[in-house]
Amino acid sequence: MSRRQAKDVRLKARATEIVPFEDHLELDGRVSRPDRVLNGLGSERMTDKTNRLATTLLPALVILVGLAAFGGCAKKQKPPAVTPPTSDSQSTGSQTGTTGDTGTGDTGDSNSMTELGLQDIFFDYDRSVLREDARRLLDGNARQLLEGSSVVILEGHCDERGTTEYNLALGERRAHTARDYMVQYGVSGSRLRSVSFGEERPFDPGHDERAWSQNRRVHFVAQ
Amino acid sequence: MLSSARFVRSLVALVAVLILSAVGARAQQEARMGIVKGTAFKFSLEVQDFHYLETMRTPLEGGESCEELLRRDLQQSDFFEVRRELAFIPDPADSSNMPKPVEYLATGIVRKKWGEVVLEGELLDAASGKVMFRQEYSLGSPPDRRAVHAYADDIVRHVTGEAGVALSRIAFVGVIGKAKEVFLVDYDGFGLSQLTKLGSICLSPRFSADGERLAFTSFAQGEADLVTLALSDGRMTPLSSRPGIDSAPAWHPDGSQVAASLTFEGNAEIYVMDDHGKKAQRLTFSPAIETAPCFSPDGSRIVFTSDRTGEPHLWVMDSDGANSQRLSYLGKWSDSADWSPRGDRIVFVALVDDGFDIFTMAPDGSDRRRATANDGSWENPRWAPDGRHIVAAKRERGGQRRLFVMTADGGGKRALTSFSGDQYNPAWSSSRKLREATR
């Protein structure tokens, strides 16, 4: 698959994710982003319309997309017409919110560290073990962090199933797992803070597996 | 031969009589308490239309009359079968005037006294005509629903010896704008008030046993901390701001301690601390998640959630952390236990089918009964102070959560509040003090 094809696939997936989601932003009761985060890294980039997009990807495309991003994507290209994503991309819940021009999906998540290229990682239901795709993404995240000195917050999140209290703990365990992995990779533990929002800040406000798979995540935020 | 046979027969008869009378007395006692399991024993009670002397029949907030509200309170108490007959003032001297099948008569006179509108309530034993109690309530103008609630609770107490719930209140987390705040509402959905305005995330409110304080989780400082709120003046005090997550507070029945799930030592464990957040004592030691503690009403044991077997389930331990043992083996996930103030049941949720349903069980895990089925997914069931009612949040498919009140067997479900936003994490107040303090 050429780089251009990979980009098209990504943009398609991205467009289908975003449209209903931006509507929700105005309607639901999600807690606003903390000011400290808004003032953090990449805040200017986040105001760019083209950056207010989330992307859903086939896991097999993750690496290709990464390459495409490093290759420099066309920033002005309009997303193609909305087409339904494949069932595969729904079920994997893989998502890059961070590379190059793609920015984060501005969806109630705090800003991702767009400049550092840190990617969200995803988990199975009621699990905090790192899936294969999560390990790959964490490897990339760790590599990025090794080059800098900034402090990063790892936000653990859960889907809405289960109880408030258990999910708070589960979210923290996910953040800890990701943190431990990156520390093993060589990132200084003093640069990695973990917090948990449990099920209180869903990325996708929906109530189905597609939304849930997006919400069981660790999200990276500039301190 | 004959005489010995007769002797044996009479002995058997005597033993039978003794057993039957013992069983009968016990049954009668339990019946009076209205706690016979699996039966729907109710006292029959008639609330007559009130007399209004020199006062207008001003409806209460919500449009009901005082007597209509009293009937509803008593019906919802789950102790009474409430009847309504034509109004008349019974003559206690003439018992033939009494309707026979009714056990109790509740009457009311609304009138002015020293310029104030008062409700004079009187409960009569229908058979004897004896006055069980007579009490005056300040109804005020416009009339106050809580004056009628007070009369209802007095009737429950005089007839059953137990505290009613008509004056109790329920705290919950409601989503308003972008924030999750703590709200307080009367048990019947009236009198909604917003207790916090932190513009952040508040979670898991729990009343102290005296009803004067709430403990809850707050993200106002950026991560999960514990805070207490005094209901008398709304003042908030930090309880625990340790590193990591401070969550799931639960008061010791004597109000001197709070159990909670803290992660400052790296992993979510149950701790108890004093009510200023000091002297934290760790009770659990496992690499698993331990959270959602709740004390038994005598303070000797703690039920909690742990996933130390791989899936989250309920465990129980002594309040010093000893003798930890598993309590539930139901479904893939059981969680969010609340110990009845009567001590005899634990309510919890379990993931058995598609969603979570409400179950109750004895404190040793036996005698499990299901309260909900095929009706959305339920969270955070919490006992009323009477140990007969439950409030819980239901998430309907594709929708937001809504609070419902029901009896312990899941009967008589009613939506609690007209609050329109997502609403969850309920807690039911326990004492009369709170009701007066927040008035």
Side-chain angles (χ1 to χ4, degrees):
Chain A
M1 188 184 287
S2 72
R3 178 181 296 171
R4 179 58 182 262
Q5 281 173 313
K7 186 168 60 187
D8 282 350
V9 169
R10 181 180 48 162
L11 288 171
K12 272 184 193 173
R14 189 200 289 171
T16 55
E17 281 298 296
I18 286 44
V19 178
F21 200 72
E22 294 266 283
D23 284 348
H24 270 294
L25 245 191
E26 306 303 324
L27 295 175
D28 72 8
R30 186 179 294 112
V31 174
S32 59
R33 291 172 295 180
D35 288 337
R36 61 181 166 79
V37 174
L38 279 176
N39 294 333
L41 283 173
S43 59
E44 274 189 22
R45 280 175 167 269
M46 294 314 298
T47 60
D48 185 339
K49 275 280 180 193
T50 61
N51 286 340
R52 300 167 67 85
L53 299 172
T55 306
T56 299
L57 286 174
L58 291 161
L61 291 178
V62 165
I63 295 167
L64 282 172
V65 168
L67 288 172
F70 285 117
C73 294
K75 295 189 178 178
K76 301 302 178 196
Q77 176 156 359
K78 287 180 183 172
V82 173
T83 51
T86 66
S87 59
D88 277 345
S89 67
Q90 288 177 35
S91 61
T92 59
S94 187
Q95 159 198 341
T96 64
T98 51
T99 50
D101 64 311
T102 56
T104 62
D106 186 356
T107 55
D109 252 346
S110 313
N111 291 5
S112 259
M113 301 188 65
T114 51
E115 290 180 357
L116 289 176
L118 302 185
Q119 307 201 27
D120 289 4
I121 59 168
F122 299 90
F123 295 82
D124 290 334
Y125 179 48
D126 188 28
R127 289 289 172 265
S128 55
V129 289
L130 297 172
R131 301 193 311 222
E132 197 50 45
D133 58 328
R135 288 170 190 272
R136 266 201 309 274
L137 292 168
L138 280 180
D139 287 344
N141 288 353
R143 268 196 301 276
Q144 292 296 312
L145 280 180
L146 282 175
E147 291 168 12
S149 60
S150 57
V151 175
V152 177
I153 301 170
L154 284 68
E155 290 181 357
H157 297 269
C158 305
D159 71 32
E160 67 189 16
R161 295 169 299 167
T163 55
T164 304
E165 295 80 12
Y166 181 84
N167 278 337
L168 267 184
L170 179 61
E172 187 181 61
R173 194 157 69 177
R174 285 174 176 162
H176 280 173
T177 308
R179 181 179 181 276
D180 291 348
Y181 186 90
M182 292 171 82
V183 167
Q184 278 194 344
Y185 199 96
V187 180
S188 163
S190 62
R191 292 174 55 201
L192 302 172
R193 273 192 60 212
S194 52
V195 299
S196 172
F197 288 99
E199 61 179 270
E200 308 305 323
R201 282 189 178 177
F203 174 85
D204 183 331
H207 303 284
D208 52 20
E209 178 51 37
R210 177 182 158 172
W212 295 331
S213 65
Q214 301 278 309
N215 293 336
R216 299 187 296 263
R217 70 200 190 279
V218 167
H219 178 67
F220 297 85
V221 181
Q223 168 109 39
Chain B
M1 280 302 284
L2 190 69
S3 66
S4 80
R6 191 180 296 163
F7 173 73
V8 168
R9 215 178 297 145
S10 56
L11 191 67
V12 167
L14 181 65
V15 168
V17 165
L18 283 174
I19 289 173
L20 284 175
S21 60
V23 168
R26 172 112 192 268
Q28 201 174 8
Q29 190 190 359
E30 287 192 335
R32 283 204 70 78
M33 304 297 285
I35 56 172
V36 179
K37 293 193 172 91
T39 66
F41 178 85
K42 304 250 170 102
F43 299 99
S44 72
L45 177 144
E46 178 187 319
V47 176
Q48 298 172 340
D49 286 343
F50 290 179
H51 286 262
Y52 291 78
L53 306 178
E54 304 163 31
T55 54
M56 301 291 287
R57 275 179 176 270
T58 314
L60 300 160
E61 183 193 352
E64 288 168 304
S65 69
C66 293
E67 54 266 44
E68 283 164 351
L69 178 58
L70 183 64
R71 287 183 192 117
R72 197 145 67 87
D73 278 347
L74 293 170
Q75 196 83 49
Q76 287 177 354
S77 78
D78 200 36
F79 281 114
F80 295 101
E81 177 192 319
V82 180
R83 306 182 191 185
R84 179 191 171 174
E85 308 248 339
L86 288 176
F88 71 108
I89 301 290
D91 177 2
D94 179 11
S95 61
S96 67
N97 200 16
M98 301 292 175
K100 290 293 182 245
V102 174
E103 292 171 272
Y104 300 98
L105 285 176
T107 68
I109 299 172
V110 178
R111 65 184 185 88
K112 279 206 172 113
K113 184 178 181 185
W114 311 115
E116 271 192 43
V117 182
V118 296
L119 163 61
E120 290 176 4
E122 192 174 83
L123 182 70
L124 303 167
D125 182 294
S128 66
K130 192 181 119 206
V131 175
M132 298 191 66
F133 77 92
R134 191 180 285 132
Q135 181 70 43
E136 193 176 282
Y137 305 91
S138 175
L139 192 59
S141 181
D144 182 0
R145 296 175 61 91
R146 296 184 67 80
V148 180
H149 290 332
Y151 184 20
D153 278 354
D154 283 344
I155 291 173
V156 168
R157 197 172 65 253
H158 275 89
V159 172
T160 70
E162 300 199 17
V165 294
L167 277 176
S168 65
R169 287 187 165 123
I170 292 165
F172 65 93
V173 172
V175 177
I176 179 165
K178 294 185 169 185
K180 303 185 173 191
E181 306 283 6
V182 181
F183 290 79
L184 190 65
V185 69
D186 289 356
Y187 100 113
D188 61 357
F190 284 82
L192 179 71
S193 64
Q194 185 176 342
L195 293 181
T196 63
K197 285 178 182 155
L198 295 170
S200 176
I201 301 174
C202 296
L203 298 171
S204 314
R206 282 275 199 171
F207 285 98
S208 59
D210 63 10
E212 290 179 350
R213 284 184 288 175
L214 274 174
F216 59 91
T217 304
S218 163
F219 279 77
Q221 305 301 320
E223 62 179 21
D225 297 324
L226 294 179
V227 174
T228 60
L229 183 149
L231 285 146
S232 54
D233 57 8
R235 182 179 304 182
M236 277 180 257
T237 313
L239 176 64
S240 178
S241 306
R242 293 174 170 83
I245 299 174
D246 305 341
S247 70
W251 294 86
H252 188 281
D254 71 9
S256 67
Q257 286 184 317
V258 178
S261 175
L262 310 178
T263 68
F264 70 100
E265 290 182 296
N267 183 46
E269 307 282 356
I270 309 283
Y271 295 76
V272 287
M273 59 192 118
D274 68 22
D275 62 341
H276 302 291
K278 304 282 190 286
K279 296 178 191 161
Q281 180 196 345
R282 183 169 165 182
L283 300 185
T284 59
F285 298 84
S286 91
I289 288 173
E290 269 83 30
T291 186
C294 177
F295 280 97
S296 61
D298 65 0
S300 68
R301 311 208 81 197
I302 294 174
V303 60
F304 62 101
T305 300
S306 171
D307 68 349
R308 57 184 73 165
T309 57
E311 289 174 337
H313 282 291
L314 298 179
W315 291 66
V316 66
M317 61 184 169
D318 295 347
S319 55
D320 62 359
N323 297 319
S324 180
Q325 64 189 81
R326 186 165 167 182
L327 203 53
S328 65
Y329 296 84
L330 182 59
K332 288 174 177 301
W333 186 331
S334 52
D335 198 352
S336 203
D338 193 39
W339 210 308
S340 161
R342 301 163 66 108
D344 60 341
R345 305 290 290 174
I346 290 172
V347 68
F348 63 102
V349 291
L351 182 62
V352 286
D353 298 327
D354 254 2
F356 286 85
D357 277 304
I358 298 175
F359 295 80
T360 65
M361 62 183 172
D364 63 359
S366 67
D367 190 24
R368 192 176 63 227
R369 293 179 221 160
R370 187 169 186 162
T372 63
N374 308 316
D375 183 24
S377 190
W378 294 84
E379 294 175 18
N380 296 114
R382 297 290 179 254
W383 288 103
D386 63 2
R388 301 168 65 90
H389 293 86
I390 292 165
V391 62
K394 177 171 80 165
R395 193 194 292 273
E396 281 159 338
R397 240 167 249 291
Q400 60 187 9
R401 285 164 290 187
R402 186 145 202 227
L403 297 177
F404 285 83
V405 169
M406 67 192 88
T407 51
D409 60 3
K413 286 190 193 74
R414 62 179 168 91
L416 172 64
T417 165
S418 56
F419 180 82
S420 59
D422 194 22
Q423 47 193 266
Y424 57 111
N425 285 184
W428 207 319
S429 79
S430 45
S431 96
R432 200 178 185 89
K433 272 187 185 169
L434 151 81
R435 304 147 199 165
E436 307 320 322
T438 53
R439 207 54 218 168

